[in-house]
Amino acid sequence: ALEAMGDRKGTVAVYNYKTGQILCAVSTPTFDPDNLPDIAGDTSGAWDGAYVNRFLKGAYTPGSIFKIVTAAAAIETIPDIMDQTFHCDGETVYNAEAGDKVTCLSVHGDISFQAAFTHSCNCAFAQIADQLGGQVLQEYAQKLGITGTLTFDGVTTTPGKIEAAGAADVMVAWSAIGQHKDLVNPCQFMTLMGVIASGGQGVEPYIVSQITGGSWSTHQAQPVQTPQLLKPETAGKLQQLMRNNVINYYND
């Protein structure tokens, strides 16, 4: 993971969603403490954020991965969402005079909910946001832990943020596609993916598996379950949607 990051600034993490064990957590840029670079004297920007653990303490604009949250809210609150069709001509206009609109990277035409999820159609998700409303969207982000924190092994993650409730319709639409003022913490979002994979109730992550002193074990990690965040049938539908993306879109 560290080699794959190269010169990029960011984070990569992998965990066992069945046990909670974090298998990999990389934050870049990073350095060897036995061979310290001149971070204080750097003027290139290459070492910006070197002292920040982006996985635990970062909060970032999520972009289209937030559509998973919007899809979860839609599945649980819009009865016929799986059967709806949306129209995308490249933009959804809210106020032409003010320039209030949501744009899409492609023109998808008439598109189903599943296809909208597969192709990450901004216009379709803007129309879904119109049906949800800002209050419901924000409630689901909070319910799924986006605005909360996780505490484990002596560390607490940075909370995320969403400000959709009471916002203008166009801002609610942008929020539903992971823009506007949305922020997510990578560790928290990783855990949400584990919740979906586990059927709606996941396991919180941990780093330290065991601590021993001499022949005595003073700490042994035990899986800590999250609350039931999603209905099992909702998690199942999200699993199908995400698996379809992997097989029929990203696997090309």
Side-chain angles (χ1 to χ4, degrees):
L2 183 60
E3 290 177 357
M5 289 299 291
D7 294 331
R8 301 179 184 89
K9 296 180 176 68
T11 181
V12 175
V14 179
Y15 93 132
N16 184 332
Y17 72 91
K18 295 182 179 180
T19 67
Q21 181 183 16
I22 294 178
L23 306 174
C24 163
V26 170
S27 179
T28 57
T30 189
F31 56 89
D32 181 354
D34 289 330
N35 186 23
L36 287 173
D38 183 14
I39 296 175
D42 175 61
T43 58
S44 69
W47 295 105
D48 289 351
Y51 295 127
V52 177
N53 186 318
R54 296 172 189 266
F55 174 59
L56 297 172
K57 294 300 183 180
Y60 304 99
T61 302
S64 288
I65 64 169
F66 195 83
K67 288 171 182 166
I68 296 170
V69 176
T70 305
I75 290 168
E76 290 201 347
T77 64
I78 303 174
D80 65 342
I81 189 65
M82 301 299 294
D83 300 319
Q84 287 192 29
T85 299
F86 308 92
H87 184 74
C88 170
D89 57 10
E91 62 181 23
T92 297
V93 178
Y94 288 83
N95 185 329
E97 292 183 359
D100 292 343
K101 62 183 179 180
V102 168
T103 56
C104 196
L105 294 177
S106 301
V107 175
H108 296 110
D110 293 328
I111 192 168
S112 68
F113 179 67
Q114 176 174 291
F117 188 84
T118 298
H119 295 280
S120 195
C121 177
N122 288 349
C123 291
F125 272 82
Q127 293 162 49
I128 293 167
D130 293 342
Q131 296 181 57
L132 289 172
Q135 185 64 41
V136 171
L137 183 62
Q138 182 153 333
E139 287 175 357
Y140 263 82
Q142 293 169 343
K143 173 184 176 182
L144 298 181
I146 298 300
T147 60
T149 61
L150 291 168
T151 299
F152 55 91
D153 295 339
V155 296
T156 298
T157 62
T158 294
K161 182 176 75 170
I162 180 172
E163 296 183 7
D169 289 345
V170 66
M171 293 296 103
V172 174
W174 278 115
S175 188
I177 60 179
Q179 302 290 334
H180 185 38
K181 297 181 179 181
D182 296 2
L183 294 173
V184 303
N185 169 260
C187 182
Q188 184 69 268
F189 207 84
M190 178 194 74
T191 305
L192 175 57
M193 297 303 97
V195 166
I196 294 171
S198 299
Q201 183 178 26
V203 177
E204 294 183 358
Y206 67 84
I207 298 172
V208 180
S209 299
Q210 187 181 55
I211 298 174
T212 58
S215 60
W216 298 91
S217 176
T218 59
H219 170 78
Q220 180 66 53
Q222 298 293 332
V224 177
Q225 287 192 316
T226 69
Q228 187 74 38
L229 301 182
L230 288 169
K231 297 175 183 177
E233 53 269 30
T234 302
K237 289 178 181 177
L238 289 170
Q239 290 173 20
Q240 292 172 6
L241 289 169
M242 294 167 72
R243 183 62 176 163
N244 177 69
N245 286 10
V246 172
I247 295 174
N248 296 315
Y249 189 72
Y250 295 110
N251 197 37
D252 289 345

